[in-house]
Amino acid sequence: MKSSFMMVDDGGLMDQRKGIMKIRHVNNKVRYVKRPIKKKKNRSSYRERKDPKVLQKLFDSCKEVFKGPETVPSDSDVNKLCSILDEMKPKHVGLSKNMQFFKSKSVAKGTPSVAYTPIYQCDEFSLCIFFLAANAVIPLHNHPGMTVFSKLLLGDLHIKSYDWVDSMPPPESQPRLARLKVDSVLKAPCKTSVLYPTTGGNIHEFRAVTPCAVLDVLGPPYSKDDRDCSYYKELQHSALSNGESSRVNEGGSDYLRWLKETEVPQDSHMERIDYWGPQIVD
């Protein structure tokens, strides 16, 4: 069965193939429901939205740039990928700002949803899209040994990120001092954000101001064996010892925070959705 591109509707994603089904949120989760979809007559517009050339160019460049674990792309390679991602538009992955999901101003009941759709993954890198409903949060988490390119395709997204102050981790269960790297709102279209294994805001949190779509390139991708994701929470000054508090004050309390590793937040469920956008050729 041939695949077409995904669309988004009322907090969920839908398939724009003739008269088969779409996907929408049911009880705050993404579910398939049958519903006929009228075929559009503008064939040139359809070809434009399904144009796979830019995504294919990104994929081919990733194969050249990412060399596997324990490697970081060179400055020239980072610039190469950024130049491609900076030019990417929602249509290059089958999305549009006119889709109902991105136009919706209502807030869903319960925890706002987060969904992701994997485009491609191998041992060296992965491509995926994250969808965040308004007020949805991807909690503070790290990217061990990874270089990550994030391109905000649609929406307004608040990003807060940190880098570790000390290179050596503290004893298990002890908080670790981190320096605030970014605390701002991005508005699409905007430049690509890049984080590195030890710099650039490797520990970050996404909080959607409006419904958002973010294209992520991770090299290498997460691995349960040696690159598993860890979550963190910020500690208030009242939770710190006198020595820890004084160290934050000396470094400037506006920029330094103690972070403590925590369990996966109970309300951080992420729905997986199949990718039906423009296809790439491996």
Side-chain angles (χ1 to χ4, degrees):
M1 182 180 294
K2 292 184 179 179
S3 63
S4 65
F5 53 90
M6 273 190 175
M7 296 182 66
V8 180
D9 179 54
D10 290 336
L13 300 179
M14 76 178 184
D15 171 24
Q16 196 187 12
R17 288 182 295 173
K18 183 179 179 182
I20 52 168
M21 64 175 62
K22 75 173 185 178
I23 307 173
R24 63 182 173 86
H25 279 304
V26 178
N27 297 327
N28 204 32
K29 292 186 178 181
V30 178
R31 290 292 182 264
Y32 289 88
V33 293
K34 292 187 177 181
R35 176 173 171 180
I37 299 171
K38 294 181 180 180
K39 183 178 180 181
K40 293 187 177 181
K41 295 180 179 180
N42 191 340
R43 297 182 66 85
S44 61
S45 175
Y46 175 83
R47 285 194 297 268
E48 178 187 11
R49 292 176 69 179
K50 194 170 169 61
D51 180 11
K53 294 180 181 178
V54 178
L55 184 61
Q56 184 68 46
K57 183 179 180 181
L58 174 64
F59 171 76
D60 292 338
S61 297
C62 286
K63 292 187 70 174
E64 296 174 359
V65 167
F66 293 109
K67 311 299 184 184
E70 310 301 328
T71 62
V72 177
S74 65
D75 290 343
S76 61
D77 283 339
V78 168
N79 291 335
K80 179 180 181 179
L81 291 184
C82 282
S83 66
I84 299 172
L85 286 163
D86 286 345
E87 297 301 318
M88 290 198 72
K89 297 177 172 57
K91 67 180 182 181
H92 295 136
V93 288
L95 302 176
S96 167
K97 66 180 181 180
N98 295 320
M99 294 171 180
Q100 187 60 37
F101 176 85
F102 299 108
K103 293 166 63 177
S104 176
K105 296 182 180 180
S106 62
V107 178
K109 295 181 180 179
T111 303
S113 63
V114 178
Y116 77 100
T117 178
I119 300 175
Y120 177 87
Q121 180 165 329
C122 63
D123 291 341
E124 285 72 38
F125 67 94
S126 66
L127 308 174
C128 64
I129 304 172
F130 291 94
F131 297 92
L132 294 85
N135 296 327
V137 177
I138 298 180
L140 198 63
H141 63 283
N142 69 345
H143 306 80
M146 301 158 65
T147 303
V148 180
F149 298 75
S150 295
K151 169 64 175 180
L152 179 62
L153 296 171
L154 289 162
D156 299 350
L157 181 69
H158 179 260
I159 298 179
K160 193 172 189 179
S161 67
Y162 294 92
D163 286 322
W164 298 124
V165 171
D166 300 321
S167 58
M168 294 298 295
E172 187 175 356
S173 77
Q174 294 299 309
R176 188 173 179 182
L177 192 60
R179 185 179 302 278
L180 182 65
K181 191 70 177 179
V182 175
D183 187 7
S184 61
V185 175
L186 299 183
K187 298 177 179 290
C190 57
K191 293 293 186 180
T192 303
S193 301
V194 187
L195 64 83
Y196 301 90
T198 59
T199 61
N202 185 275
I203 308 102
H204 71 195
E205 173 192 87
F206 286 173
R207 185 178 297 270
V209 179
T210 66
C212 295
V214 185
L215 173 62
D216 261 12
V217 180
L218 298 85
Y222 284 110
S223 167
K224 290 185 177 180
D225 296 330
D226 52 5
R227 286 186 307 281
D228 203 1
C229 183
S230 297
Y231 291 86
Y232 299 88
K233 63 179 180 180
E234 297 177 329
L235 296 184
Q236 301 299 320
H237 284 254
S238 58
L240 301 174
S241 67
N242 291 335
E244 291 170 339
S245 295
S246 63
R247 188 174 180 191
V248 168
N249 292 331
E250 289 172 1
S253 59
D254 290 340
Y255 301 100
L256 295 180
R257 291 288 187 276
W258 288 98
L259 304 183
K260 183 178 177 61
E261 187 172 348
T262 185
E263 297 294 328
V264 180
Q266 293 183 353
D267 58 354
S268 65
H269 174 72
M270 193 174 293
E271 191 90 8
R272 185 186 188 278
I273 302 172
D274 290 339
Y275 173 71
W276 284 354
Q279 300 298 300
I280 53 179
V281 179
D282 191 350

